Amino acid sequence: MVLNAESIDGIAIVSLPERLNSSNCPAFQKDLEPLMQENSRFVFDMTQVQHMDSSALGTLVATLKHLRGLGGDLRLCGMTKQIRTLFELVRMHHVFDVFNTRQEALDSYR
């Protein structure tokens, strides 16, 4: 998996793939590791995500814990209605800072 990532003002913005599940979470984590060595503040842009499973949710929680251990944080943005419903159903919207747009997520770091 090749992550689409960019950095703005020291914040890494990663566009998540259309599907994030048990089959590609290990590759996602592996590709994310070098980025986490350079950055501790992240925004995951979820506008393309159409499907997530429990492995993906676990990966996001593990990433959040890791980043907070480094003194950083993780913001999520751009969820489709379906993905937002999933997050609300499993109460993950109380764990993560979720924003409608990428700009709102970036602004929250200021």
Side-chain angles (χ1 to χ4, degrees):
M1 170 181 291
V2 176
L3 293 180
N4 181 7
E6 64 180 293
S7 183
I8 297 176
D9 297 331
I11 301 166
I13 303 165
V14 178
S15 297
L16 300 188
E18 184 177 329
R19 301 180 71 76
L20 193 57
N21 53 39
S22 59
S23 66
N24 65 359
C25 278
F28 174 76
Q29 286 180 304
K30 183 180 178 194
D31 288 353
L32 196 57
E33 286 175 15
L35 294 174
M36 289 193 295
Q37 291 176 2
E38 299 173 13
N39 303 281
S40 62
R41 298 185 305 166
F42 278 75
V43 172
F44 282 179
D45 186 335
M46 301 180 70
T47 54
Q48 299 299 316
V49 178
Q50 298 298 315
H51 178 268
M52 296 182 79
D53 66 7
S54 59
S55 295
L57 294 173
T59 297
L60 293 181
V61 170
T63 302
L64 175 66
K65 286 183 177 183
H66 179 78
L67 290 171
R68 285 189 175 163
L70 298 173
D73 208 354
L74 171 62
R75 312 282 205 258
L76 307 177
C77 70
M79 288 183 186
T80 64
K81 185 175 180 177
Q82 177 183 351
I83 298 299
R84 178 68 188 215
T85 300
L86 170 67
F87 268 70
E88 290 173 359
L89 181 67
V90 297
R91 315 286 291 163
M92 285 291 154
H93 66 295
H94 293 295
V95 174
F96 292 95
D97 293 321
V98 180
F99 298 89
N100 291 324
T101 67
R102 179 186 285 203
Q103 191 60 51
E104 289 173 357
L106 287 170
D107 289 345
S108 73
Y109 277 113
R110 294 187 180 105

